[in-house]
Amino acid sequence: MAIRILLVDDHELVRTGIRRLLEDFDDIDVIAEADSGEVAIDLVRKLNPQVVLMDVNMPGIGGLEATRKLIQIAPETKVIVVTIHLDEPFPTRLLEAGASGYLTKGCAVAEIVDAVRQVSKGKRFIGSDVAQQLALTMLPGSDKSPFDALSQRELQVMLMVTQGQKIQEIADKLCLSPKTVSTYRYRLFEKLDVKSDVELTHLAMRHGMIDENNKD
């Protein structure tokens, strides 16, 4: 029986490309696509895919929060992150959120297929380039990102703030009070030594935390 896949990426061109690549393999079946974390959660509830291929930077709650919620509502569904983000803290935070695999969009087709097959059997899979980068960050004297200091929730709020989402909007999507979101925002401002959303966005761009071309 083929492994049922849900593709989640806000770019239709990316989803189409991955779908066409996976169509060549008889043991893999792309059953649906989603352009946001919110849509992905609804489709997982309805379709019960075995594996979700999840982007990180998307409008709305994004891939980090979507991964966390998917693991809560459907722990049998496995999430493989497929993103442009190679550096920390993304790999560690997504794996902490419950992802079973982590790949970059520059990986080979064979690596995506291998990841899907391995993860569907309950194993973990880290892309070769990601594994190498993780190993390098463990070396003495390696450069650390200031974003490493953020908690998972602070990182999530940071991603949503840099998308231009307002406090109330973030609160509604994360099921938090506006006061709690404001507290997270204040803490990440302190940790990153920034004083405004604009400064935060510029810092995030410099460290590759957000894709400038992905911003609306």
Side-chain angles (χ1 to χ4, degrees):
M1 185 177 294
I3 303 165
R4 301 185 310 281
I5 302 291
L6 169 63
L7 296 179
V8 187
D9 196 294
D10 61 323
H11 292 102
E12 183 179 2
L13 189 61
V14 173
R15 298 196 309 271
T16 300
I18 294 176
R19 175 189 280 273
R20 287 178 177 173
L21 291 172
L22 296 180
E23 283 175 348
D24 292 335
F25 299 88
D26 294 336
D27 61 334
I28 296 175
D29 182 18
V30 178
I31 61 172
E33 299 178 16
D35 61 2
S36 71
E38 290 89 336
V39 174
I41 290 169
D42 287 340
L43 288 175
V44 166
R45 287 193 174 107
K46 295 174 183 176
L47 303 176
N48 192 31
Q50 291 166 272
V51 177
V52 176
L53 298 183
M54 178 75 73
D55 190 19
V56 174
N57 284 116
M58 296 182 289
I61 62 174
L64 177 59
E65 180 69 7
T67 295
R68 189 185 68 80
K69 287 189 174 182
L70 285 180
I71 299 305
Q72 287 182 338
I73 66 173
E76 72 283 357
T77 297
K78 309 301 181 182
V79 176
I80 300 174
V81 177
V82 184
T83 178
I84 62 170
H85 297 294
L86 175 63
D87 297 328
E88 287 284 47
F90 281 111
T92 296
R93 298 305 167 82
L94 267 299
L95 294 170
E96 287 175 348
S100 296
Y102 196 102
L103 301 168
T104 61
K105 290 180 177 178
C107 71
V109 177
E111 199 162 32
I112 295 180
V113 173
D114 194 17
V116 168
R117 290 170 177 166
Q118 294 296 326
V119 164
S120 69
K121 297 175 182 176
K123 300 179 181 179
R124 284 200 166 195
F125 192 100
I126 308 297
S128 55
D129 54 350
V130 179
Q132 181 181 21
Q133 187 63 26
L134 287 173
L136 290 173
T137 61
M138 301 297 291
L139 295 175
S142 60
D143 292 334
K144 300 294 184 183
S145 168
F147 293 89
D148 290 350
L150 301 184
S151 69
Q152 184 167 302
R153 183 60 84 188
E154 288 165 352
L155 183 64
Q156 178 63 52
V157 171
M158 182 278 294
L159 291 172
M160 298 177 81
V161 167
T162 57
Q163 289 176 352
Q165 298 186 48
K166 304 304 182 184
I167 296 296
Q168 185 64 58
E169 186 179 2
I170 296 171
D172 292 342
K173 290 175 179 175
L174 298 183
C175 299
L176 300 171
S177 70
K179 182 178 179 181
T180 299
V181 173
S182 294
T183 299
Y184 282 123
R185 179 173 170 273
Y186 174 76
R187 287 177 183 170
L188 68 89
F189 273 27
E190 273 198 325
K191 289 181 179 180
L192 298 174
D193 192 26
V194 296
K195 296 178 175 60
S196 69
D197 293 349
V198 172
E199 283 188 32
L200 175 65
T201 301
H202 288 165
L203 183 66
M205 287 180 179
R206 287 201 301 272
H207 286 271
M209 299 296 294
I210 58 175
D211 180 7
E212 186 172 2
N213 296 323
N214 229 13
K215 285 183 60 55
D216 296 329

